[in-house]
Amino acid sequence: MYKYLTDDQIKANYAAAKQTYALLGVDTDKALKDAAAVPLSLHCWQGDDVTGFEKATDGLTGGIMATGNHPGRAQNGEQLRADLDLAASLIPGTKKVNLHALYAETEGKKVPRDEVGPEHFTKWIAWAKKAKLGLDFNPSYFSHPLAASGFTLSHADKKTREFWIRNGIQSRKIATAMGKATGMPAVNNQWIPDGSKDLPADRLSPRLRLKDSLDAIFAEKADPKLLIDAVESKLFGIGSESYVVGSHEFYTAYAVQNQMPLCLDMGHFHPTETIADKISGLLPFVPGLLLHVSRGVRWDSDHVVIYNEDVQAVFNEINRSGAWKKVWVALDFFDASINRIMAWTVGARAARKAMLSALLEPAKLLKDEEKAGHFGARLALMEELKNLPLTAVWDQLCLDQGVPTGTNWINVSDKYEADVLLKR
Ligand code: RNT
Ligand code: ZN
């Protein structure tokens, strides 16, 4: 059993930390409220290694991969929701749950992917309402025989393309129903795996077809109170190493032209390329950004998010740009080698901690020093800020939000693994 500080000790530490931050003009009470209010979308697919319930193919396709065989994977909606309930109880702050068309519940009926509709998500919607969770959605353009060629919305065959366009159109209807039911707009993200292993001779035609397909999907205007459309770019996938149709340039241009949020996945760029500096480069041109918070290790490996410099830099940029209302934050990783609830919880707590740390940064002070040309002080402050008592404020956030503090949550997860997961 892990032991952690008592609630009284946490409160005392917080009181001391509050004074330290106040000396820099930072209001820790406000940071606690603001950090808890940012919606964080938990991706349902960490709970079952992106398997879904439809199982139209023998395993995951689309150039993404979950490795590992830790026991206890969720195998149906009830189990996945129970696991998400437990994870949600360990993660502080406002939460949403991100679903994929693959997670439709069809009562044993075979429903073609292009006919999956809001009626197949009624259980998810009822559960989310009860648990006071928002919902987000994604059409699933993979793990399907019609995606076996590696092409979907950009496929050369019109019939195949139209099938996937219908999947895209349906996804917007499902997301709209989710937005209506939960009272929070649902972000619906379009990601396709399209691309090729080796050098294509024609890079342009698939991109022209993708543009047309997207235009058809987005033909109906969205009600922004219910539905936020986003498009996600990528550099390469397994089996699409040489060419990806929906590249960063393609979707940046598409998002700007159509004034829709662009999704930046932290694992979708060159291995040493980070996304923090892209935020202020894009914000003047797009109405918002969807972040897929992830961790690539040597490739787009979708490792569990940890509290590291890359993640911190992303949230610092959002805070310094005053862009919290223009950014939707979603997790995107899938690790099957460890307890999946721990994967969710480690990743989500890390993301929330980075949000809190960003909100505790005296951004105005840094900018004032910059304006004054006092660059030595700017750098000195950035260094000093690194050892401020963030942990004391983080513990208070967990206490305020009614979730386990410090290492205590590991005990809760271990008990659930013994009582529930290992009995599956
Ligand atoms: C794949 C994309 C995409 C998926 C999920 C399952 O590289 O990152 O977002 O991970 O939609
Ligand atoms: Zn992603």
Side-chain angles (χ1 to χ4, degrees), residues 45 189 191 232-233 263-266 268 292 294 302 332:
W45 52 92
N189 179 49
W191 169 72
E232 179 178 11
S233 73
C263 173
L264 297 177
D265 183 308
M266 292 178 71
H268 285 194
H292 271 189
S294 191
D302 288 291
D332 186 12

Side-chain angles (χ1 to χ4, degrees), residues 19-313:
Q19 292 179 25
T20 311
Y21 281 101
L23 294 172
L24 292 161
V26 174
D27 179 348
T28 49
D29 290 342
K30 183 170 185 313
L32 283 174
K33 274 204 205 100
D34 292 348
V38 181
L40 176 63
S41 195
L42 308 181
H43 53 317
C44 79
W45 52 92
Q46 166 57 62
D48 75 337
D49 319 334
V50 213
T51 306
F53 311 142
E54 185 190 291
K55 301 194 182 81
T57 48
D58 199 13
L60 177 60
T61 78
I64 52 178
M65 199 158 84
T67 54
N69 55 3
H70 194 84
R73 177 171 74 76
Q75 291 174 32
N76 55 47
E78 270 65 49
Q79 292 182 356
L80 192 51
R81 284 186 285 272
D83 293 356
L84 278 161
D85 276 331
L86 187 78
S89 76
L90 306 175
I91 300 162
T94 308
K95 287 166 287 284
K96 299 175 93 182
V97 168
N98 204 358
L99 294 169
H100 245 281
L102 292 177
Y103 295 85
E105 289 173 288
T106 59
E107 310 301 326
K109 262 189 270 137
K110 269 214 177 329
V111 178
R113 188 81 59 84
D114 60 336
E115 287 173 26
V116 168
E119 65 276 22
H120 305 117
F121 285 88
T122 50
K123 283 190 185 171
W124 281 110
I125 290 173
W127 166 77
K129 277 174 74 171
K130 201 165 151 227
K132 295 204 164 55
L133 295 162
L135 288 172
D136 292 317
F137 198 66
N138 305 258
S140 309
Y141 298 102
F142 53 89
S143 297
H144 191 281
L146 286 179
S149 68
F151 289 86
T152 62
L153 290 179
S154 73
H155 203 289
D157 174 58
K158 189 159 180 268
K159 282 229 147 43
T160 308
R161 236 164 37 237
E162 280 169 356
F163 174 87
W164 290 114
I165 290 172
R166 286 194 296 276
N167 174 49
I169 292 175
Q170 287 297 100
S171 72
R172 297 181 77 224
K173 291 188 186 147
I174 297 165
T176 303
M178 290 174 164
K180 221 176 259 172
T182 58
M184 264 191 247
V187 179
N188 189 45
N189 179 49
Q190 308 277 338
W191 169 72
I192 57 164
D194 299 28
S196 65
K197 180 183 175 79
D198 225 323
L199 301 169
D202 181 0
R203 289 171 182 264
L204 180 61
S205 300
R207 288 185 169 138
L208 292 172
R209 289 194 290 266
L210 174 57
K211 181 181 177 296
D212 282 350
S213 296
L214 292 170
D215 289 348
I217 290 171
F218 297 127
E220 198 158 312
K221 221 178 141 8
D223 177 349
K225 284 202 207 72
L226 307 178
L227 167 68
I228 309 283
D229 287 301
V231 286
E232 179 178 11
S233 73
K234 187 163 178 165
L235 179 68
F236 74 93
I238 301 168
S240 59
E241 290 86 356
S242 299
Y243 171 66
V244 162
V245 183
S247 61
H248 184 51
E249 292 70 20
F250 176 92
Y251 277 124
T252 302
Y254 193 85
V256 171
Q257 186 175 53
N258 295 282
Q259 284 304 294
M260 58 170 55
L262 179 68
C263 173
L264 297 177
D265 183 308
M266 292 178 71
H268 285 194
F269 297 87
H270 291 276
T272 57
E273 186 178 1
T274 54
I275 67 160
D277 186 49
K278 299 182 193 303
I279 293 170
S280 59
L282 291 162
L283 280 177
F285 304 103
V286 289
L289 294 169
L290 168 62
L291 300 177
H292 271 189
V293 185
S294 191
R295 177 168 56 112
V297 177
R298 303 198 185 280
W299 64 288
D300 178 26
S301 59
D302 288 291
H303 275 64
V304 176
V305 165
I306 54 173
Y307 179 63
N308 64 13
E309 259 184 69
D310 290 352
V311 175
Q312 190 59 66

